[in-house]
Amino acid sequence: MNELQQLLSDLKSPNPATRNHATQELWLMWYRKAGNQAEEQLNRATRLMGENQMEKAKQVFENLIENFPDFAEAHNKLATLLYLKGEYEESVIECECTLKINPHHFGAWHGMGMCLYKLARYDEALKSFKGAIEIQPYAEVNREFIAHCLGKLN
């Protein structure tokens, strides 16, 4: 079993420490996937987001995606920024890009579910939250949103 498979397996462990370690290691792996230069730009854009400089951050993410189109985490972070700006349709597109590159990205599954929920597309949101829960079965927030979606659909 390779490292990625082991970490994904560990997300399903009944031991919270094992799950937390796997979650942290996966995020690190995803951040570092495109190399140091890309990671530095990702961190820069994330800092700009934290400073509420959304347009500057968006430009850095877009440049990063242009230079590293297969860098899933750049797409994921742009999706987060778009979500924060209330641009849910655009965020869904970036989540889909993330998942095309990295189908195990539980953050993108969850984020897409959040966007679809905001768009009142509850059946699609339900599928996204179920996608997240398949990868990260102990993530209670996804179970809560599955229940919310089912409530909206009934």
Side-chain angles (χ1 to χ4, degrees):
M1 183 179 296
N2 69 28
E3 182 184 10
L4 174 63
Q5 291 170 327
Q6 182 62 56
L7 292 170
L8 291 169
S9 176
D10 287 351
L11 290 176
K12 296 176 170 127
S13 169
N15 183 323
T18 301
R19 292 193 310 268
N20 290 337
H21 177 263
T23 300
Q24 291 172 354
E25 289 300 311
L26 284 164
W27 282 115
L28 282 173
M29 184 183 291
W30 296 339
Y31 258 69
R32 295 175 175 159
K33 189 80 172 171
N36 289 339
Q37 180 187 4
E39 184 182 359
E40 287 172 15
Q41 290 302 305
L42 189 69
N43 288 331
R44 178 173 169 248
T46 303
R47 273 194 306 278
L48 289 167
M49 277 178 58
E51 296 166 1
N52 206 29
Q53 296 184 48
M54 297 302 202
E55 287 310 310
K56 285 184 182 177
K58 184 178 180 187
Q59 188 61 54
V60 175
F61 286 134
E62 288 172 346
N63 289 341
L64 192 52
I65 289 166
E66 187 175 313
N67 292 322
F68 301 91
D70 294 330
F71 187 20
E73 198 53 36
H75 288 280
N76 184 59
K77 287 295 186 187
L78 179 55
T80 301
L81 181 144
L82 294 167
Y83 175 85
L84 292 172
K85 291 179 67 179
E87 298 176 18
Y88 305 123
E89 294 281 359
E90 295 83 354
S91 183
V92 167
I93 292 167
E94 290 303 322
C95 288
E96 289 170 339
C97 289
T98 303
L99 292 168
K100 186 180 286 186
I101 299 164
N102 179 0
H104 307 293
H105 201 298
F106 50 81
W109 281 110
H110 174 79
M112 187 162 59
M114 294 296 294
C115 293
L116 293 165
Y117 188 85
K118 291 279 192 182
L119 292 166
R121 290 164 51 186
Y122 304 116
D123 54 338
E124 293 171 81
L126 183 61
K127 290 176 189 167
S128 292
F129 292 123
K130 285 182 176 181
I133 211 98
E134 280 182 35
I135 300 164
Q136 222 181 9
Y138 289 91
E140 286 303 316
V141 67
N142 292 311
R143 291 188 192 288
E144 291 169 19
F145 273 96
I146 286 170
H148 291 308
C149 290
L150 290 172
K152 297 284 189 182
L153 289 169
N154 290 328

